[in-house]
Amino acid sequence: MNVGEIPILSIVTFSPLVGALLVAVAPARYARPLALAASLGAWVISLLLIIGFDPGAPAARAFQFREAVEWIPLFGIQYKVGVDGLSLILVVLTTTLSWISILASFGPIKDRIKEYMVSFLILEVGLIGVFVALDTFLFYIFWEIVLVPMYLIIGIWGGVNRIYATIKFVLYTLVGSLLMLVAILATAFAFQAATGSWAHAFDFEKLRAASFDPNLQIFAFLAFFLAFAIKVPMFPFHTWLPDAHVQAPTAGSVILAAIMLKLGAYGFIRFALPLFPAAAHTFAPAIIVLSLIAIIYGAIVALVQPDLKKLVAYSSVSHMGFVTLGIFVFNQQGMDGAILQMVNHGLITGALFLLVGVIYERTHDRTIAKMGGVAAVMPVYAVALGFFVFASGGLPGLSGFVGEFLVLLGAFEFSPIVAAVATFCMILAAGYLLWMFQRIAFGEVSDFLKGLGHHLTDMSPTEILTLAPLAALTVVFGLFPGLILDLVRGSVTAVLGDASRTGAVEISPQVGLVLVALPILYVIARIIWVARIDLGGGGGGRVADGDAHGGTHGEPVTSVEAVS
């Protein structure tokens, strides 16, 4: 049977929801195996998509496995889904990391297991839906679905400061999402005014062929940009990320880093560039500057972090800066590198968060200074940590190298100065990663580790199983990046073609005044927020990071953490 003859995208999208319903009604002792079975089922179905996908399809069939059903005909809203190479890669990445994360949760999650597994499976539904939606309103619905289960995962099963972290995460994300909704409605109204009909007013394929007014493009792009920049996250919208990462349970951090951050980058490539090309060219220089700042800032702050999990969190800010840099240089190498970096970051940083969880489950601590000499007592763990540290640092032969190298090629074509700055930051990345690994793995076994005695055991078979697929893919994509590049070639060509339809627009004085005022208002609001916390003693209520089952509680927040 031909895969395209069945609604396979709906099946892969909503099969985790069926699993969530089964987990909800089944006895608690079956929650873990049912959730794992549901996520594995979605993963297997997603692999069928790769088998049936035709990377050489003509541009008219860029999106395959399409399904379209009228949903709200009055306004032209449809349930319309389909995948191209970019969507396909991210769907498979999502289903792969989902079953790995659920398996990694078997040990650490001991309370409210049913509720946790239900939340995780619903989260998977939202993530897949974002990547397959071809209706902008449907895209927004799936985008918001993602928010609720992650809010619960951090807020219920997170660390001691989980309420602060999860509310901060929701507020940041919600502000961007609501502005994006306004932009979606504005483009639909503009499409309706131009065509005289609401038919297809939210259809992405119809909207990308339209030509919107330059002023509408400017403000709609900014709304989309804010939503996507917060999710990436780009500097200066990144401040929710370290708190969310550190307070989330291990599997929550894995999905947050490996998949959720990719929603923003995917949004730029899928929606912002094709729909608003003139505005994208207008703001590209500013976005490139912000990307370079994120690369530098993330690396420097990661270098001074005493907490292992927070170091990995800030490394995400730096690595995702390469993604946005590659997108907005508007050339083939940059875009290829950005997409590769999205996949590679998901595999490598997801694995690093799993490794942070492994050591935390044994020590209930993440302080790097206390972990010295771990290679002597946990040799398998040290080897795994070293492998992914070198992969994250861009060792040739592993997947982390290829993506960043292509981004640097694209940046050099755009501007040698931009490429030089980004290259220097790669040296910083190697610095903080190798220094962290040296302090943890080598030297004399620390007194802290000695005090744990027989509790400090090496990695279990289950923990090794969660890392093995990620390690294998890291090697395969490092040696054969064409496996991804061949799939996404059509997507990259289409996006760059859309972006090349027009150049930058001339901004009127009135619009320029508004654009200058917006960042000023943001800075003022940020200063008021920080001053409010300091005057109200809010900072004193935050303690160092741990989880509900114990950890390094009661330690003050460092100055670097407070500023960031």
Side-chain angles (χ1 to χ4, degrees):
M1 181 178 63
N2 190 338
V3 175
E5 295 176 355
I6 60 175
I8 190 169
L9 285 185
S10 292
I11 294 173
V12 73
T13 302
F14 295 106
S15 58
L17 180 60
V18 175
L21 295 174
L22 292 176
V23 171
V25 299
R29 64 181 180 274
Y30 298 122
R32 290 188 179 97
L34 281 175
L36 181 60
S39 60
L40 281 171
W43 176 63
V44 171
I45 298 169
S46 70
L47 296 181
L48 295 178
L49 291 173
I50 296 180
I51 296 173
F53 185 80
D54 178 12
R61 274 200 319 119
F63 292 99
Q64 301 177 36
F65 310 111
R66 297 190 199 198
E67 303 169 32
V69 178
E70 293 294 332
W71 184 13
I72 309 177
L74 181 62
F75 295 106
I77 298 175
Q78 308 171 79
Y79 170 80
K80 183 177 181 180
V81 294
V83 293
D84 60 357
L86 173 62
S87 303
L88 177 61
I89 288 293
L90 293 176
V91 167
V92 175
L93 182 68
T94 300
T95 58
T96 302
L97 269 296
S98 292
W99 74 258
I100 289 174
S101 298
I102 288 175
L103 181 61
S105 302
F106 276 23
I109 303 300
K110 300 177 175 64
D111 302 318
R112 299 182 178 180
I113 298 170
K114 287 180 63 171
E115 292 87 344
Y116 176 87
M117 295 301 174
V118 168
S119 298
F120 221 97
L121 291 170
I122 294 176
L123 175 62
E124 185 177 2
V125 172
L127 292 170
I128 297 173
V130 166
F131 296 134
V132 302
L134 293 180
D135 180 280
T136 54
F137 189 80
L138 180 66
F139 168 78
Y140 176 78
I141 296 297
F142 281 122
W143 181 276
E144 291 297 274
I145 287 175
V146 170
L147 183 63
V148 177
M150 183 54 75
Y151 168 80
L152 296 175
I153 288 170
I154 299 174
I156 297 175
W157 295 277
V160 291
N161 293 316
R162 58 190 179 274
I163 302 302
Y164 170 85
T166 198
I167 291 177
K168 189 175 182 181
F169 162 71
V170 168
L171 290 178
Y172 265 77
T173 307
L174 195 59
V175 168
S177 299
L178 292 176
L179 289 175
M180 181 174 68
L181 176 61
V182 173
I184 288 173
L185 296 176
T187 55
F189 273 101
F191 185 87
Q192 187 273 338
T195 62
S197 170
W198 281 104
H200 306 292
F202 293 88
D203 189 327
F204 166 71
E205 293 184 282
K206 300 296 183 182
L207 292 174
R208 77 187 298 179
S211 181
F212 294 107
D213 176 76
N215 285 332
L216 173 63
Q217 285 200 43
I218 291 292
F219 288 106
F221 178 86
L222 284 175
F224 274 79
F225 169 79
L226 185 61
F228 299 151
I230 289 172
K231 194 72 82 176
V232 167
M234 293 182 65
F235 179 91
F237 309 106
H238 69 284
T239 56
W240 64 269
L241 180 71
D243 289 306
H245 265 315
V246 170
Q247 296 304 320
T250 296
S253 293
V254 171
I255 292 296
L256 190 60
I259 308 299
M260 288 190 66
L261 304 191
K262 311 307 176 293
L263 300 185
Y266 173 80
F268 280 129
I269 299 172
R270 172 64 71 238
F271 294 99
L273 267 62
L275 296 183
F276 317 112
H281 281 284
T282 302
F283 292 108
I287 295 173
I288 289 171
V289 170
L290 291 178
S291 300
L292 292 175
I293 293 174
I295 294 170
I296 299 170
Y297 170 84
I300 292 176
V301 178
L303 189 65
V304 299
Q305 287 304 315
D307 183 291
L308 179 59
K309 197 173 190 183
K310 192 160 266 191
L311 183 149
V312 178
Y314 276 107
S315 76
S316 289
V317 176
S318 185
H319 286 303
M320 291 302 293
F322 279 96
V323 174
T324 51
L325 174 62
I327 292 171
F328 283 93
V329 295
F330 297 114
N331 56 48
Q332 179 86 30
Q333 294 92 338
M335 191 69 73
D336 282 344
I339 295 172
L340 269 177
Q341 182 70 357
M342 289 165 64
V343 176
N344 299 335
H345 179 267
L347 299 173
I348 297 168
T349 305
L352 287 174
F353 276 116
L354 287 173
L355 287 163
V356 173
V358 168
I359 196 69
Y360 185 81
E361 285 303 307
R362 289 155 174 78
T363 65
H364 292 289
D365 203 305
R366 293 187 300 263
T367 306
I368 296 173
K370 294 181 179 181
M371 303 298 169
V374 77
V377 289
M378 299 176 65
V380 176
Y381 176 82
V383 169
L385 180 63
F387 175 85
F388 286 107
V389 161
F390 281 105
S392 183
L395 180 70
L398 301 178
S399 62
F401 169 76
V402 187
E404 292 185 354
F405 179 72
L406 286 174
V407 170
L408 291 177
L409 285 180
F412 187 84
E413 182 180 329
F414 176 82
S415 167
I417 295 176
V418 170
V421 174
T423 303
F424 171 74
C425 295
M426 290 186 67
I427 301 173
L428 285 178
Y432 68 74
L433 286 166
L434 293 177
W435 188 38
M436 173 270 288
F437 183 62
Q438 182 266 329
R439 286 181 289 165
I440 288 179
F442 303 117
E444 295 292 328
V445 179
S446 67
D447 293 335
F448 174 73
L449 294 184
K450 289 178 181 177
L452 296 174
H454 66 278
H455 295 290
L456 194 62
T457 58
D458 213 339
M459 294 179 66
S460 68
T462 299
E463 290 167 338
I464 294 173
L465 178 59
T466 60
L467 290 170
L470 303 180
L473 291 173
T474 299
V475 173
V476 169
F477 292 149
L479 298 176
F480 306 103
L483 294 173
I484 295 176
L485 296 179
D486 289 343
L487 278 177
V488 303
R489 181 174 292 115
S491 306
V492 171
T493 301
V495 171
L496 293 177
D498 290 333
S500 64
R501 286 182 300 172
T502 181
V505 298
E506 183 177 347
I507 299 177
S508 65
Q510 296 85 351
V511 174
L513 183 63
V514 173
L515 297 181
V516 171
L518 288 176
I520 294 175
L521 290 174
Y522 173 81
V523 172
I524 293 174
R526 182 69 180 164
I527 292 173
I528 293 173
W529 173 259
V530 173
R532 173 181 168 275
I533 292 177
D534 290 341
L535 293 175
R542 294 179 60 193
V543 296
D545 310 309
D547 71 1
H549 307 291
T552 56
H553 302 163
E555 299 175 11
V557 179
T558 68
S559 58
V560 172
E561 294 166 347
V563 171
S564 59

